[in-house]
Amino acid sequence: MADKDVVAKDFMQDEEIFADAFNFKIFGGRQVVKPENLKPLDATSLILPFGDDGKVAPKQKYRDVLKTATVMQDGKTTYLALGIENQSQVHYAMPVKACVYDAAYYDSFVSGAVRKRRREKGAGFPSGAEYLSGFARE
């Protein structure tokens, strides 16, 4: 099964094939995701759950393929993070597994944005809810 996984990952790395998969499944065959607008992302995520003893138990998760896409629709630009998990067998818990990958990606994105904002604002960074979340209400 490991050989199938390696071959499938390599196959899906190709931008044209990757774009075709999303265009077919999500956009009904319309060419919305264009291969030239795809950029690979690091498919490794680090999560820091607590173990049974209450201590942090770091874990790495690996999505098969993860890319960003810039898509134009109705004159507006949308930025997407698109990920693929190849399966040769049914995996009944795959929706949960994919949610963990997505949450870890969004968490790292938010953490990076907060670090950048705090560096830019320095001592002028707000307190209260904006400090807690790292984001302004707007």
Side-chain angles (χ1 to χ4, degrees):
M1 186 128 76
D3 289 341
K4 286 182 189 178
D5 192 42
V6 170
V7 171
K9 282 181 188 179
D10 184 55
F11 181 73
M12 292 309 298
Q13 291 289 346
D14 182 279
E15 274 78 12
E16 286 191 29
I17 293 167
F18 189 90
D20 281 348
F22 281 93
N23 287 329
F24 171 76
K25 188 66 178 169
I26 296 174
F27 300 107
R30 288 183 301 133
Q31 300 301 300
V32 175
V33 177
K34 298 191 177 0
E36 62 271 15
N37 295 338
L38 290 169
K39 291 190 175 49
L41 289 172
D42 183 2
T44 306
S45 297
L46 179 65
I47 59 172
L48 303 169
F50 291 101
D52 293 336
D53 59 0
K55 294 182 182 175
V56 174
K59 292 184 180 184
Q60 276 190 316
K61 299 289 185 180
Y62 304 94
R63 188 184 295 261
D64 286 346
V65 184
L66 184 63
K67 297 179 186 270
T68 60
T70 306
V71 174
M72 282 290 282
Q73 279 194 301
D74 302 324
K76 295 183 180 177
T77 303
T78 303
Y79 301 95
L80 307 170
L82 303 170
I84 288 184
E85 276 299 303
N86 299 302
Q87 296 300 136
S88 57
Q89 304 259 331
V90 173
H91 187 313
Y92 296 111
M94 185 51 70
V96 174
K97 190 175 178 182
C99 284
V100 169
Y101 291 146
D102 292 345
Y105 172 77
Y106 290 129
D107 181 62
S108 68
F109 177 79
V110 167
S111 296
V114 170
R115 278 193 303 275
K116 181 180 176 191
R117 185 162 185 244
R118 287 189 174 145
R119 274 195 304 271
E120 289 171 355
K121 295 278 186 181
F125 199 79
S127 60
E130 287 188 25
Y131 179 82
L132 183 63
S133 65
F135 284 88
R137 183 176 179 163
E138 304 79 48

